[in-house]
């Protein structure tokens, strides 16, 4: 049974100056599923991910053609409030990037930004977010200590908690486990499959086993093109495109 | 340590080591001698009344309270003006400005300004603030000139520390839906407090040590100033510690007092720097 589409790209072109990084990408991302973006370095998968919550706005010289809609709304339309968009579409980065503040303040950062002042409400949000990110038990006794004292894997789960605290409905993960050890990685993978009940997850990964393990749908990018986009099971058992097959069987990449 | 080396290489290494020791040793000795000499000459002249009264010709007593107050006046007023200006300018240049070319030109200009001899600032300050703006030779005119002198220092040090804030902090904050200024205020500035404090310390150092500018833009009076009303506050004018030091040493040939003032200057600088780094640590939390 197909889930409704939450994000839809239509003929999306993206240029860094003269270099075309994305070529006419069209793709429907379903709600409450994990969609993995795979492909060799420089294929445009991260660029595509950052286009979804307009983090590419920060890069000078980017031009975008075509359309991305979120719940049917064009996210590059002039009237759209980017801060609203980024609140709805959260992001977890490749390297854990907690702020140099306490664990509590990290998670409370987003809600405070969006105007939550009540201490009681913040306590609730922080606890709930840390629980959702499966790190509450590890940090509940030291919420006041610096987030930088946590291990890499804990920091990344804290960053997930921080993203969840603003109640997004899409979570973008940009190689969120590539800097972590296998145990932390598997924790975050388990967490992702838990989270998809309430959130839609789009993740970039270099690790094909990871995509095969947890993604419902997988998209294969190559040189800025979307080569194939299909159910993960289909993609890994019966790829339609020769290039996909070559990549997932490790013949290049 | 050098047993395994051939005799010539061994001699080479040992010579280098000895020379380097000598360099650092000599530097320390010079510094300690200077501080020691100033304290030796200056401390005997320091007394409670020296610090807490003004000079009295009738009683033939010397006091430097006016100079201490005037020094604090120019430091505080200059910092109040230069900090928002310099930090704001640095934030614009590193966080907002999109035109690389323009930023490069401004950075080059601030670097050049930082190296200009202060007598030139003094001359310009005198013409602009004292004459054109009709402030006269007052402490406020001196403070404004000091603002111009310290502005490049504050901008440069703030810019350097803003550049050391990891880009990932900015992305993290914006990714949660922060506006740009909110991001800067809550994440970038707290992480760069250290650099701003360093800038302040350097600026205070230059202000405390400045004499040329203050001689051109402020009077050399050693009398107590009246700060009771805003008008008097703006009109008051008198020697700071460095200028008083000059007046006593050069015009009155009273070297004992000059050395006592030098001692107070040294102590004041250390105290202000300690206070600034303490304030920085507090702000960081």
């Amino acid at each position: 049974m197909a889930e409704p589409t939450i994000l839809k790209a239509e003929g999306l072109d993206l240029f860094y100056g003269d270099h075309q990084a994305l070529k006419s990408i069209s793709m429907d991302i379903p709600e409450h599923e994990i969609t993995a973006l795979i492909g060799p370095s420089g294929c445009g998968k991260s660029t595509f991910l950052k286009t979804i919550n307009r983090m590419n706005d920060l890069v000078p010289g980017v031009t975008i053609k075509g359309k991305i809609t979120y719940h049917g709304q064009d996210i590059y339309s002039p009237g759209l409030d980017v801060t609203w968009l980024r609140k709805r579409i959260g992001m977890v980065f490749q390297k854990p990037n907690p702020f140099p503040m306490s664990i509590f303040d990290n998670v409370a950062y987003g809600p405070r930004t969006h105007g939550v002042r009540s201490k009681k409400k913040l306590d609730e949000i922080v606890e709930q977010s840390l629980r959702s990110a499966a790190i509450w038990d590890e940090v509940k006794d030291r919420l006041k200590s610096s987030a930088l004292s946590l291990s890499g894997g804990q920091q990344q789960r804290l960053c997930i908690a921080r993203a969840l605290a603003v109640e997004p409905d899409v979570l973008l993960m940009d190689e969120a486990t590539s800097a972590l050890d296998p145990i932390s990685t598997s924790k975050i993978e388990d967490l992702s499959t838990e989270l998809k009940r309430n959130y839609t997850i789009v993740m970039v990964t270099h690790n094909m086993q990871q995509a095969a393990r947890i993604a419902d749908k997988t998209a294969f990018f190559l040189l800025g093109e979307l080569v194939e986009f299909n159910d993960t099971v289909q993609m890994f058992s019966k790829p339609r495109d020769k290039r996909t097959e070559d990549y997932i069987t490790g013949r290049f990449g | 340590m050098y047993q395994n080396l051939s005799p010539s290489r061994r001699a080479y290494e040992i010579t280098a080591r000895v020379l380097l020791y000598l360099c650092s040793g000599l530097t320390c000795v010079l510094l300690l001698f200077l501080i020691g000499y100033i304290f030796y000459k200056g401390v005997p002249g320091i007394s409670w009344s020296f610090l807490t009264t003004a000079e009295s010709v009738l009683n033939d007593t010397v006091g430097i309270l006016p100079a201490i107050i005037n020094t604090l006046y120019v430091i505080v007023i200059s910092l109040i003006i230069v900090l928002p200006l310099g930090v704001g300018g640095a934030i614009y240049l590193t966080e907002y400005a999109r035109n690389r070319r323009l930023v490069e030109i401004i950075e080059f200009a601030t670097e050049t300004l930082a190296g200009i001899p202060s007598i030139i600032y003094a001359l310009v300050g005198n013409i602009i603030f004292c004459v054109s703006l009709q402030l006269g030779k007052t402490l406020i005119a001196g403070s404004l000139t000091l603002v111009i002198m310290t502005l490049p220092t504050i901008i440069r040090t703030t810019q350097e520390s803003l550049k050391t804030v990891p880009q990932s902090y900015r992305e993290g904050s914006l990714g949660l839906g922060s506006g740009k200024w909110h991001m800067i205020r809550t994440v970038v500035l707290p992480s760069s407090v250290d650099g701003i404090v360093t800038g302040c310390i350097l600026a205070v150092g230059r202000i405390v040590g400045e004499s040329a500018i203050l001689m051109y833009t402020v009077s050399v009076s050693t009398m107590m100033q009246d700060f009771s009303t805003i008008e008097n506050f703006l009109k008051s004018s008198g020697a700071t510690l460095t200028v008083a030091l000059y007046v006593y040493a050069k015009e009155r040939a009273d070297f004992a007092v000059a050395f006592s003032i030098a001692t107070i200057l040294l102590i004041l600088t250390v105290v202000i720097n300690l206070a600034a780094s303490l304030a920085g640590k507090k702000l960081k939390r």
Side-chain angles (χ1 to χ4, degrees), chain A residues 55 57-58 60 83 86-87 89 93 97-101 109 113-114 162-163 166, chain B residues 98 167-179 182-184 186-187 191:
Chain A
M55 287 304 274
D57 290 10
L58 307 182
T83 60
R86 292 187 185 141
K87 182 177 181 296
I89 306 182
F93 297 84
N97 61 346
F99 302 131
M101 319 169 175
Y109 183 87
T113 297
H114 297 287
R162 188 176 69 184
V166 295
Chain B
R98 286 281 179 159
Q167 198 57 30
S168 65
Y169 290 178
R170 297 186 178 86
E171 286 177 349
S173 175
L174 293 175
L176 289 166
S178 298
H182 182 83
M183 176 269 286
I184 292 171
T186 53
V187 177
S191 309

Side-chain angles (χ1 to χ4, degrees), chain B residues 49 53-63 248 252 254 257:
Chain B
S49 68
T53 58
E55 179 187 48
S56 163
V57 183
L58 287 178
N59 302 334
D60 196 22
T61 56
V62 185
Y248 280 106
R252 307 190 191 172
D254 192 342
V257 175

Side-chain angles (χ1 to χ4, degrees), chain B residues 56-265:
Chain B
S56 163
V57 183
L58 287 178
N59 302 334
D60 196 22
T61 56
V62 185
I64 57 161
L65 184 64
I68 294 176
I69 293 176
N70 293 341
T71 306
L72 294 176
Y73 180 116
V74 293
I75 291 173
V76 171
I77 299 294
S78 304
L79 283 186
I80 285 177
I81 302 170
V82 79
L83 268 182
L85 218 55
V87 173
I91 290 174
Y92 171 76
L93 288 174
T94 22
E95 307 288 333
Y96 286 88
R98 286 281 179 159
N99 185 341
R100 287 312 314 164
R101 187 99 194 94
L102 181 73
V103 172
E104 273 167 31
I105 292 171
I106 296 177
E107 284 181 351
F108 180 72
T110 49
E111 247 161 67
T112 313
L113 279 176
I116 285 184
S118 62
I119 191 84
I120 294 174
Y121 287 112
L123 205 60
V124 174
N126 181 287
I127 292 169
I128 293 178
F129 296 117
C130 303
V131 181
S132 298
L133 294 178
Q134 300 182 337
L135 292 172
K137 288 181 83 174
T138 52
L139 283 167
I140 205 84
S143 303
L144 290 171
T145 315
L146 289 169
V147 164
I148 300 180
M149 181 190 74
T150 46
L151 196 54
T153 315
I154 300 280
I155 291 181
R156 294 299 298 166
T157 48
T158 307
Q159 261 195 300
E160 289 314 313
S161 71
L162 290 176
K163 283 177 189 165
T164 62
V165 177
Q167 198 57 30
S168 65
Y169 290 178
R170 297 186 178 86
E171 286 177 349
S173 175
L174 293 175
L176 289 166
S178 298
K180 188 154 192 171
W181 172 242
H182 182 83
M183 176 269 286
I184 292 171
R185 189 174 60 78
T186 53
V187 177
V188 176
L189 281 181
S191 309
S192 47
V193 161
D194 280 347
I196 297 171
V197 169
T198 308
C200 273
I201 290 177
L202 290 174
V204 168
R206 285 200 70 181
I207 293 171
V208 168
E210 188 50 48
S211 50
I213 286 180
L214 293 159
M215 278 197 257
Y216 269 68
T217 55
V218 192
S219 82
V220 295
S221 156
T222 51
M223 292 296 112
M224 195 64 193
Q225 299 298 313
D226 175 14
F227 300 111
S228 53
T229 64
I230 291 181
E231 204 195 341
N232 289 341
F233 186 80
L234 292 175
K235 278 188 178 161
S236 57
S237 175
T240 61
L241 284 167
T242 36
V243 175
L245 193 155
Y246 170 84
V247 170
Y248 280 106
K250 277 314 231 194
E251 290 178 3
R252 307 190 191 172
D254 192 342
F255 283 94
V257 175
F259 271 109
S260 297
I261 294 175
T263 310
I264 300 297
L265 263 175

Side-chain angles (χ1 to χ4, degrees), chain B residues 37-52:
Chain B
Y37 188 71
I38 291 171
F39 271 67
Y40 168 71
K41 288 278 205 176
V43 170
I46 298 174
S47 65
W48 185 244
S49 68
F50 179 73
L51 294 175
T52 55

